[in-house]
Amino acid sequence: MAASIYGFVGTGILILNISLAIALIFLERRDASSTWAWILVLFFIPILGFGIYLLFGRRLRRKTLFRWEGKSKIGIDKLIEFQMEAIEDESFDFRLDDASHYKDLIIMHLNNNHAVLTQDNKVDIFTDGREKFDALLFDLENAKDHIHIQYYIFRLDNLGQEIYKVLLAKAKQGVKVRILYDDTGSRSLRKRHFHELIKLGGRVEAFFPSILPLINPRMNYRNHRKIVVIDGRIGYIGGFNVGDEYLGKKKKFGYWRDTHLRIEGSSVHPLQTRFILDWNQASAEHDIEYSDRFFPAIPLKGSVGLQIVSSGPDSEWEQIKNGYLKLIMMAKKYIYIQSPYFIPDASFMDTLRVACLSGIDVRIMIPNKPDHLFVYWATYSYVGELIKAGAKVFIYENGFLHTKMIVIDDEASTVATANIDVRSFKLNFEVNAFIYDNETSHQLAELFEEDMKLSTELTWELYEKRSTMIKFKESLARLISPIL
């Protein structure tokens, strides 16, 4: 009797796995590597694998997640149309040659991502958490009208409390404060933790909140963006989240090396638009309506060319990845890449391999402190392959490297939230600043070269000496890398 029950259950599990595998292959039409990775999970972990798939494998329906009727009032559509036509008929006023050299990349972002080009920005670069948050606290304290804050991770630890106290003080002064956090990234955070702020008129929302405790069918789709907009005039974008570890106060990571930008200029308006779109998706009752206060006239601040580019599973195209590829393909002299997670897909690997074989100086920097072991060993396998093609790989030794940055030829660069992995390319909601400016890009390249002094080069000889156990870990991690 018991044997027949077990046989019946086993047969049911087998049929379920086969049915799901068929659905993966014929209905969802994923890429081959991702499909095979999920089939392996389903067949090697029969029951648990099905649960893992339900939580992490289901695709997000491509419906209109981000809607805002006020977007048309900003005039973005008309501006995009004007910029496209002016660039194509060569009448566009490129204030710097750095931008004009990259008009193909600019057109791609304009056409597919509605990322307007602005050329009047002042950009400050932060690589140290304390310096970044000191600047942010100063700007928050001087806010006059509104504060919009969006972080993937927001902890109410010492740093979080520093920020929260300032937000409470500003709310008491009548400044409208809104906080948006990702429910998965900030898993221990709840709206009730902000009850004082809410009582003062502030608003707090979670992106893709859990339906039940510990159960979130959309947890695989994370809003990884980090955006702050103050009075519609000052914007922040980059890699730092809010938490004590980002100040280097967690022993596990040590010093936290990241990159964040403070922007003044017209690119603050696209950042504001991105925040409002994300906010209105998360908010059921407190949507932001269009108001001139969110988009004030901004006096000329600088001359840096910028495009704010977003990507996510709601988009047909992998916008930021395509921007990365186009940037790399346009390099003539060098390509510097920093990323904590380096698990590129085949197209990215081919593009970098061709750059290496073409004699371009390709340098990649990764951390020596993994925060996700499978991800780290997969990273190790990919960089080993590129070393063989001629790339130089550096292991950052001065703490944890979390910056996401690409610089080419002292002319163009990109900084912000998207890692070089399938998760950032396809699953996460990300936002990057693409920079067309010689001075800023040169400064970012110099920061990379300073980091090289704090790094160990992983040569082919050293890579070949790795142990059999490391080789096994690499092979296993690479096998499932499409779903990491």
Side-chain angles (χ1 to χ4, degrees):
M1 182 68 177
S4 62
I5 292 174
Y6 288 135
F8 178 77
V9 172
T11 302
I13 292 171
L14 179 61
I15 292 172
L16 183 64
N17 274 353
I18 292 173
S19 300
L20 191 53
I22 291 171
L24 278 169
I25 296 169
F26 295 105
L27 299 180
E28 295 209 5
R29 293 186 178 273
R30 297 169 182 262
D31 59 87
S33 59
S34 178
T35 299
W36 277 113
W38 276 117
I39 288 173
L40 286 171
V41 169
L42 291 171
F43 280 92
F44 282 100
I45 321 175
I47 299 174
L48 182 60
F50 180 69
I52 293 171
Y53 174 79
L54 290 178
L55 284 176
F56 297 103
R58 296 170 65 199
R59 281 189 167 180
L60 191 69
R61 290 182 182 179
R62 279 182 179 166
K63 57 184 179 180
T64 306
L65 284 173
F66 304 102
R67 291 176 290 181
W68 181 41
E69 293 180 3
K71 189 176 178 182
S72 62
K73 296 180 181 178
I74 308 170
I76 288 179
D77 291 342
K78 290 183 178 179
L79 181 58
I80 290 166
E81 184 180 349
F82 167 77
Q83 289 194 347
M84 286 282 293
E85 291 177 356
I87 291 173
E88 287 173 355
D89 67 20
E90 299 186 348
S91 64
F92 188 82
D93 179 22
F94 285 108
R95 297 176 188 171
L96 293 172
D97 288 340
D98 305 319
S100 64
H101 292 164
Y102 296 91
K103 67 178 184 179
D104 290 351
L105 175 58
I106 292 166
I107 287 175
M108 185 182 76
H109 288 321
L110 271 170
N111 192 37
N112 299 307
N113 199 244
H114 287 188
V116 297
L117 173 66
T118 63
Q119 302 182 93
D120 62 349
N121 302 284
K122 177 180 180 293
V123 175
D124 297 309
I125 302 170
F126 296 99
T127 60
D128 177 80
R130 186 68 267 174
E131 292 179 1
K132 179 258 178 173
F133 284 106
D134 282 347
L136 176 60
L137 287 165
F138 177 83
D139 287 331
L140 293 175
E141 288 168 353
N142 286 279
K144 300 293 189 294
D145 182 76
H146 64 272
I147 295 170
H148 291 163
I149 291 180
Q150 176 178 356
Y151 281 103
Y152 172 61
I153 296 173
F154 196 113
R155 305 192 200 283
L156 282 172
D157 51 15
N158 293 328
L159 176 60
Q161 289 294 339
E162 271 190 81
I163 294 172
Y164 189 45
K165 287 176 182 176
V166 173
L167 297 179
L168 287 174
K170 300 311 294 186
K172 289 176 182 177
Q173 296 172 15
V175 174
K176 189 67 175 181
V177 177
R178 294 178 177 89
I179 299 174
L180 176 62
Y181 64 90
D182 182 81
D183 190 73
T184 299
S186 307
R187 60 180 61 88
S188 63
L189 198 62
R190 299 291 181 270
K191 287 187 185 180
R192 66 176 182 270
H193 295 148
F194 298 97
H195 68 276
E196 291 179 82
L197 179 64
I198 294 170
K199 281 171 60 178
L200 292 167
R203 298 289 181 230
V204 180
E205 297 291 352
F207 190 88
F208 282 1
S210 300
I211 298 172
L212 297 170
L214 304 179
I215 299 177
N216 190 339
R218 296 186 293 182
M219 69 185 299
N220 202 34
Y221 301 102
R222 306 164 191 173
N223 197 317
H224 198 235
R225 296 166 181 152
K226 296 97 177 169
I227 296 171
V228 177
V229 178
I230 300 165
D231 294 341
R233 299 177 183 276
I234 297 172
Y236 283 82
I237 180 175
F240 284 107
N241 288 292
V242 176
D244 287 347
E245 64 265 42
Y246 302 97
L247 301 181
K249 293 185 176 181
K250 291 294 177 70
K251 189 176 181 180
K252 176 183 176 182
F253 297 109
Y255 181 74
W256 192 280
R257 167 66 173 88
D258 220 321
T259 305
H260 219 92
L261 306 179
R262 178 186 184 274
I263 300 171
E264 289 184 90
S266 295
S267 270
V268 176
H269 288 179
L271 275 180
Q272 181 82 287
T273 303
R274 181 70 268 164
F275 175 87
I276 292 174
L277 288 167
D278 286 7
W279 175 271
N280 285 355
Q281 192 287 324
S283 175
E285 302 173 354
H286 306 293
D287 282 7
I288 299 175
E289 302 293 339
Y290 173 81
S291 172
D292 290 339
R293 65 194 285 197
F294 299 129
F295 300 93
I298 299 176
L300 184 67
K301 290 293 181 179
S303 59
V304 177
L306 280 178
Q307 282 180 295
I308 302 299
V309 179
S310 303
S311 66
D314 60 313
S315 173
E316 182 179 359
W317 310 109
E318 297 168 22
Q319 308 286 7
I320 292 176
K321 187 195 88 168
N322 289 342
Y324 283 173
L325 292 178
K326 186 71 174 175
L327 196 62
I328 290 167
M329 288 187 284
M330 298 178 85
K332 298 293 189 294
K333 294 179 290 186
Y334 76 79
I335 302 163
Y336 290 172
I337 298 174
Q338 288 178 310
S339 180
Y341 315 123
F342 188 84
I343 310 178
D345 62 10
S347 64
F348 204 101
M349 281 293 286
D350 286 343
T351 304
L352 277 180
R353 194 181 293 111
V354 168
C356 291
L357 298 175
S358 301
I360 293 171
D361 181 9
V362 177
R363 304 186 189 190
I364 302 165
M365 190 176 294
I366 60 174
N368 75 337
K369 294 177 179 288
D371 61 343
H372 302 290
L373 284 175
F374 272 112
V375 173
Y376 186 75
W377 293 120
T379 292
Y380 216 69
S381 74
Y382 284 106
V383 296
E385 190 175 322
L386 288 171
I387 291 170
K388 192 173 183 180
K392 295 179 180 178
V393 174
F394 299 89
I395 312 297
Y396 185 74
E397 305 287 357
N398 190 42
F400 185 65
L401 181 78
H402 190 250
T403 184
K404 306 97 165 55
M405 181 185 79
I406 299 177
V407 188
I408 69 164
D409 298 348
D410 272 11
E411 290 182 353
S413 50
T414 180
V415 170
T417 71
N419 296 300
I420 296 172
D421 61 11
V422 173
R423 170 159 296 282
S424 281
F425 293 163
K426 292 186 176 182
L427 301 176
N428 285 348
F429 298 93
E430 307 279 5
V431 62
N432 268 49
F434 280 77
I435 305 165
Y436 313 102
D437 180 66
N438 180 280
E439 185 177 342
T440 305
S441 297
H442 179 70
Q443 188 178 350
L444 289 168
E446 285 186 326
L447 290 169
F448 183 99
E449 290 164 1
E450 286 298 312
D451 289 334
M452 284 173 51
K453 298 174 184 177
L454 303 169
S455 304
T456 300
E457 184 174 357
L458 179 63
T459 63
W460 178 249
E461 290 73 24
L462 287 173
Y463 182 73
E464 280 284 270
K465 290 178 182 178
R466 68 201 190 284
S467 68
T468 302
M469 179 56 69
I470 291 178
K471 291 178 181 178
F472 173 77
K473 290 177 180 177
E474 282 185 24
S475 299
L476 179 60
R478 183 146 180 170
L479 192 64
I480 61 171
S481 64
I483 61 174
L484 286 176

